[in-house]
Every structure is written in structure tokens, then in C-alpha cells.
Amino acid sequence: MMLARERGSFVLVVNTHDFVHGRRSVPFRELLEHTLGPMGFSSRPIGRFGTVSVVIFERTSEPSGPGGP
Amino acid sequence: MIFEIERAALALACREIDRWIVDAGGGMSEPVDATPDLPSKGTILVVDDESEIGPLAQDILVPDGYTVLSSTDPLEAIRMLDARTWVPDLLLADLVMPVRGGPSWPGDLWNFSPRRRSCSCQAMKSRGSRRQAGRFLTSPSLSPLSLGWSRKCSACGPSHPRSPARAYSLSDRLQGIRVNQAERAVLAVLALFAESSTALAAFVGILGMFRLHVLDARQCDAESEVRFWLKRLMKRESFVASFADVQVWLLEEQSGVAGPPHREFLTGALSANHRRDSGTTPGVAATGVDVCRERRVIPRLGRHTIRCRAAGDRRRRRPARGAPASPLSACAGATGTPVVRAAMPAIMVVAAARWMSPTVFVYRYFLCLAPAIAVIMAWTIRGVRSSRIRLVLVTIVAGLSVLGMGVGVERMEDWRMALHAAADATNGKPVPVLVGATFIESARLRWPLDPEEAGYLVAPVAFYRVPGPAIPLPYDLGDEGAGYLRQSR
């Protein structure tokens, strides 16, 4: 969170498959969208490489709501 | 007493006369050597009152390496067996003869063989009613001998149609057995490589299933016929079979593939004959062609189903219940409860999946054991006689193999290309990278929070170009994960 505020963007590289849950959607993406959305962050999927998904979070708008600065 | 003495003297005199006749070469056709340079595969004595049968058998069997003797007189055949020092490997005798004949006739012929212990006797019913002969000649289970017979007899009259032998012809069986041998070797080699490749394991599974469905239909029938015939032989019962039994016997010798278990069966049958010969009744396998009688006999054979051999008749006979178990019942293919045995791997898989987490079982154990499971399934499904059940099982296993292959491809983790894409997306700017490797160690927050151990959790990206600092993520977002996020905040 602090890194996001300082850098303005970050990349989520996550394996979407494990032997306990099997294949699943991109973990943490929804949580980060809900958490960082009010801060003006939005996610953009870069691609899927096997079971590894890459999503980039960037600040695209001014922060609003209680999560703002 | 006088009668006994006279009888003994007469027998002695007849024996001397017969030996003289045989030495002079009269009355019997001389053995025809298959090839002068090569040793004979075996000697076959054909006794039939039809003069064309013996030469016909010679025409068919001599090119295959057999020495064929023929006689049209049963008494001559008896004298020849009594006088000669050689022993035919196979006797083919007509059941209906002008002087001798009937069900006991092959036994008499057998008794007169001086070294009958190593000789097998087959009796055939080549004559009789024209309807029976026609039924025999139209039987789909025709041997090379009977095929040639059919061609020969078709010239005798229009009532003998050409052989419709398509499903059980010699070439089919021979090809099936040979392909089976070759494919076993191929599967064995592939199974070795399949241990390291899920895709190859799936391929092996599919190949095995294909082999089972396409080839084993013929192979299973041929083996079951061999077992059927030998089982009857070992049970010391007069039975009615068809010429296909002779065909299989000859096929085993011709093709040179009479390895185990066929050779064991043949040896066991001959051993049973040895024991039988110590008694009064010789062990004789009588072969007839009466399809109606065959149908009456077959249901009493125990746990056997056999395809009725009448032309166009594809019905199967269900065996009688409560039939006694046979030592051959342990052999796959012809007896036993193959469906139950085929279901055993599936039952074990389900039980193991219930014992542990299904997901853990599938991804940690099942995929690794896919080649072994495919081989086990192939071995078990092979014994299923019903082609429909076999097809269903083959489809299921092939589907599982394809599914396993797809899952294996899907499980690839291409971290290198993922980081390449991340670097391109950030245009080289130093941005942090949150790495979710889903290592099981990350389930405990001690690891991602420990700076030293956290390095292990970002190991997948350690050797690639990362746009910025790599930050490990916990395994999931449980209570501990939420606390981690709060703590990191």
C-alpha cells in the first residue's frame, strides 16, 4: 500500500494454480482493486503465461473517498 | 482259451503282414516332406474316406512345413500307427467312415498309436448330411485346411458356398497375434519414457486403449478358443468344437509365437493325456461340425461365452451358473470376472481420493502414476469379453488420459515470459512486483515476514529481470493473510 502510494504503480505477478485449490482466478486482484480503487488505482491485465497471470495496477484518476490522501 | 490264443496269433500275423505292407509302401501314401532342406514342423495324419481330403491337406499344409500322411482306410491307418515307429503330431480323422466310425472311433485310433502319449488326436466330421456339410463349410471359423477344403468342395456342387470367413480368418488371427506381440514391446518401451512425461503417458494410455479395442477383439477370441478347447481336453470330456481349434493349434506352430501362456496350456493338455493314457479310456478330443449340438454343449462348459459359429449368427451364449471353477480361470481373457477386475483400479482410485483431499491426490499422486494406471487399466480391460463394455472403458480411460494431458499443459508456470511482459508493461520504470508463488510455505506468515525466508518465496523470479523489488505474497487471504496485509500497511 505504501509502495503504491509512493511509486504510483506496481505489478502483480501471481501463480493462479496450486495443488490445493487447483486453478483459480487471479488471487489478490479483487482485494487490491477494492482497496486501492478509492485511491485512484485501476488494474489492467497484461497476460496469462501458463498459470502465471500478470496484472498491472496504475493510478489513473485522482483519489476519492475515505481512502484518499 | 483257444479263442484267445487264436486271436493273439492272428494279431501277430496281421502285425507282420502289416509291417511288410508298410515296408513295401503299399496301401498308404508316403509322407510328403515339406521342404527337403528344412526339418518338418510336425507330422499330421489325415484319415478320411474321401480320397480328395488327403491330397488337399497335403497341398495346404506341406507348403507350411508340415509332413502330411493320408489314408482313406481306417484299418490301414490303425495298422500304420501300430507298425510304424514314428508318431504323428496330429491326427485328423473323419468321424464317419465306411468300416469304422462313430464317437469311439478316434479313441480306437488313438489306442493303436504306439507312442500316443506325445500325439494329439483330432476327429473331424467331414461327411454326414449335406445340410451339415454346408453349414460347416459356411462357418466363419474356417481353418486354412477347411478354407482349402471349401474351395475344393465348391467345385463339387453349387450347394457349397464360398467361405464367408472374414471375422475369424487365419490372416486376421495371425495378424492379430503378431501385432499384439509387436505392440506389447512398443508399449513396454513407451511406458519407460512415459514416466517423465504426462503427455507421453496420455499417449501411451490412448495407444493401449486403441490396441485393446481394435486388436484384442480378435486376439481374445483366438485365445479363448484355445483355452476352451484345451479345457475340454483336460476335463476328459468328449466335446464338440469346430475346425477353428485345429486352426489355432496349427497357427501356434506356424506363427512361432506359441510362447506362454499358450505353450503352458499345450503342455498341460499333453500331460493330461499322459495321465489319461494310463487308464482304459484314451483322452481324445473329437471335433465335430454340428452347430446345433455345439450350442447344446457350450452352455455346459462353465464360465465361457462363445460366439456361435453359424454363418450370420452373432448371438452369444451365456454360461450356466454355478459352473465349477477351473485352473484356467486365473487366466485373463477367457474366464473369471474381468469386469470386476477392470473396475478394481477405479475403486482404488476413488478410495484413495476419499482418504485424502481429492485435489491433492489428483495433482500430487494421480498424474504421477498415470502411466502405471494406464498399464493397469489396459491389462484389466483386456480381459473384458464384451466389445461394448470394452469400448466404454476405453473411452473413459482415453478421456482421462487426454484430460490429464490438458491439465499437465495447463500447469506450466512461465515465470520468465510473465516477467518479460511485466517489464514491457512498465516501460522499464522501477515498479514493485508482488509475487504470489503459491508455495505451501507461504501459508505460514512467518515466511513472508522473515526477510531471509521471504527470499525463498520469490525464488521463481530470482533469476529473471524484475522491474522492481519483489515482494512475496501470502498463500491466500485468510485471517492470517488479512493480518499480514494490515501489518504490511
Side-chain angles (χ1 to χ4, degrees):
Chain A
M1 197 76 69
M2 296 174 62
L3 286 172
R5 286 177 181 173
E6 294 174 358
R7 305 292 179 94
S9 63
F10 64 94
V11 178
L12 175 64
V13 182
V14 63
N15 187 8
T16 61
H17 187 279
D18 61 80
F19 66 82
V20 174
H21 297 98
R23 185 178 177 180
R24 52 182 177 171
S25 60
V26 181
F28 302 104
R29 181 182 179 183
E30 190 174 354
L31 171 72
L32 293 174
E33 282 179 344
H34 281 83
T35 305
L36 301 177
M39 299 170 61
F41 279 86
S42 62
S43 64
R44 177 167 57 92
I46 300 301
R48 188 180 184 89
F49 306 91
T51 60
V52 179
S53 292
V54 179
V55 179
I56 186 169
F57 285 83
E58 295 172 312
R59 189 192 298 272
T60 55
S61 61
E62 291 299 322
S64 63
Chain B
M1 186 66 181
I2 295 175
F3 177 75
E4 292 293 331
I5 295 174
E6 287 179 353
R7 186 177 176 182
L10 183 61
L12 181 62
C14 290
R15 184 172 303 177
E16 291 296 325
I17 294 173
D18 293 336
R19 185 169 291 124
W20 175 80
I21 292 175
V22 170
D23 292 339
M28 300 297 299
S29 62
E30 285 299 317
V32 181
D33 293 334
T35 52
D37 299 330
L38 298 176
S40 173
K41 293 180 179 178
T43 304
I44 301 174
L45 175 60
V46 181
V47 184
D48 198 300
D49 57 331
E50 291 185 6
S51 58
E52 63 179 11
I53 298 301
L56 178 60
Q58 290 177 353
D59 293 340
I60 296 172
L61 296 174
V62 166
D64 290 329
Y66 292 93
T67 302
V68 179
L69 288 167
S70 62
S71 174
T72 57
D73 188 354
L75 298 181
E76 285 182 352
I78 290 175
R79 284 194 290 268
M80 183 176 69
L81 287 173
D82 196 22
R84 293 252 178 166
T85 55
W86 53 267
V87 179
D89 299 295
L90 182 66
L91 292 176
L92 299 175
D94 193 354
L95 277 178
V96 180
M97 303 283 279
V99 181
R100 298 294 300 268
S104 62
W105 144 244
D108 298 338
L109 187 62
W110 185 278
N111 273 331
F112 276 94
S113 177
R115 293 165 56 192
R116 57 183 179 272
R117 293 176 178 230
S118 60
C119 176
S120 173
C121 180
Q122 287 279 325
M124 56 190 179
K125 189 177 181 181
S126 60
R127 296 183 62 188
S129 68
R130 198 171 188 81
R131 181 174 57 86
Q132 288 177 337
R135 187 176 296 163
F136 170 64
L137 293 176
T138 57
S139 170
S141 56
L142 293 176
S143 68
L145 182 58
S146 58
L147 283 174
W149 197 345
S150 174
R151 287 194 296 269
K152 192 81 174 182
C153 290
S154 62
C156 301
S159 62
H160 293 164
R162 290 280 184 175
S163 165
R166 171 66 191 90
Y168 295 103
S169 66
L170 173 67
S171 59
D172 283 347
R173 292 187 176 184
L174 191 59
Q175 183 182 10
I177 289 177
R178 283 178 174 170
V179 170
N180 184 35
Q181 298 288 326
E183 198 157 2
R184 279 181 185 172
V186 172
L187 285 176
V189 173
L190 286 178
L192 295 177
F193 292 100
E195 294 178 355
S196 59
S197 171
T198 307
L200 191 55
F203 172 72
V204 171
I206 295 173
L207 183 63
M209 297 303 107
F210 173 78
R211 164 191 168 273
L212 289 171
H213 178 61
V214 176
L215 299 177
D216 264 13
R218 291 192 294 262
Q219 174 69 9
C220 184
D221 289 334
E223 289 183 0
S224 63
E225 284 186 6
V226 173
R227 294 189 177 106
F228 158 76
W229 175 59
L230 292 172
K231 182 180 178 182
R232 302 296 297 177
L233 192 64
M234 294 173 70
K235 279 193 169 184
R236 198 180 166 183
E237 298 174 12
S238 62
F239 72 99
V240 177
S242 75
F243 238 105
D245 301 324
V246 181
Q247 170 192 349
V248 173
W249 178 283
L250 298 177
L251 178 62
E252 292 298 324
E253 294 186 356
Q254 287 176 351
S255 61
V257 295
H262 293 153
R263 188 172 297 280
E264 296 176 3
F265 290 147
L266 297 177
T267 306
L270 292 177
S271 301
N273 279 337
H274 293 177
R275 292 192 296 273
R276 256 177 248 136
D277 288 339
S278 60
T280 56
T281 304
V284 176
T287 301
V289 295
D290 190 345
V291 178
C292 296
R293 185 182 171 190
E294 186 179 74
R295 287 175 180 171
R296 288 197 305 270
V297 173
I298 286 172
R300 292 191 284 108
L301 298 182
R303 308 172 73 176
H304 275 283
T305 57
I306 190 167
R307 195 183 295 273
C308 296
R309 297 191 177 93
D313 191 351
R314 293 299 181 193
R315 290 179 299 172
R316 287 178 181 269
R317 289 289 167 180
R318 189 168 293 279
R321 292 184 176 180
S326 164
L328 298 177
S329 60
C331 302
T335 59
T337 56
V339 176
V340 176
R341 286 187 284 116
M344 283 305 294
I347 295 173
M348 294 172 63
V349 167
V350 172
R354 290 187 62 84
W355 178 61
M356 63 181 70
S357 170
T359 308
V360 173
F361 170 76
V362 168
Y363 293 111
R364 179 169 285 182
Y365 299 107
F366 185 80
L367 291 180
C368 300
L369 297 176
I373 293 174
V375 171
I376 292 173
M377 292 297 293
W379 183 79
T380 51
I381 294 175
R382 183 175 180 270
V384 179
R385 290 183 57 89
S386 171
S387 59
R388 292 182 179 179
I389 297 177
R390 237 178 6 238
L391 178 61
V392 171
L393 294 176
V394 163
T395 306
I396 292 174
V397 176
L400 289 177
S401 301
V402 173
L403 184 63
M405 182 172 59
V407 171
V409 172
E410 185 65 23
R411 290 182 67 202
M412 289 192 305
E413 301 174 7
D414 197 351
W415 290 96
R416 175 173 167 272
M417 291 305 298
L419 291 173
H420 258 291
D424 293 340
T426 56
N427 295 321
K429 295 179 182 177
V431 297
V433 177
L434 302 181
V435 178
T438 64
F439 287 168
I440 195 65
E441 290 81 3
S442 61
R444 300 179 62 183
L445 289 179
R446 182 176 63 83
W447 284 69
L449 290 178
D450 189 336
E452 294 183 358
E453 294 175 335
Y456 170 76
L457 301 181
V458 295
V461 301
F463 296 97
Y464 302 120
R465 186 167 60 92
V466 184
I471 302 170
L473 289 174
Y475 188 83
D476 55 12
L477 292 177
D479 295 336
E480 288 185 330
Y484 169 72
L485 289 180
R486 283 194 300 271
Q487 188 173 352
S488 66
R489 181 183 301 177

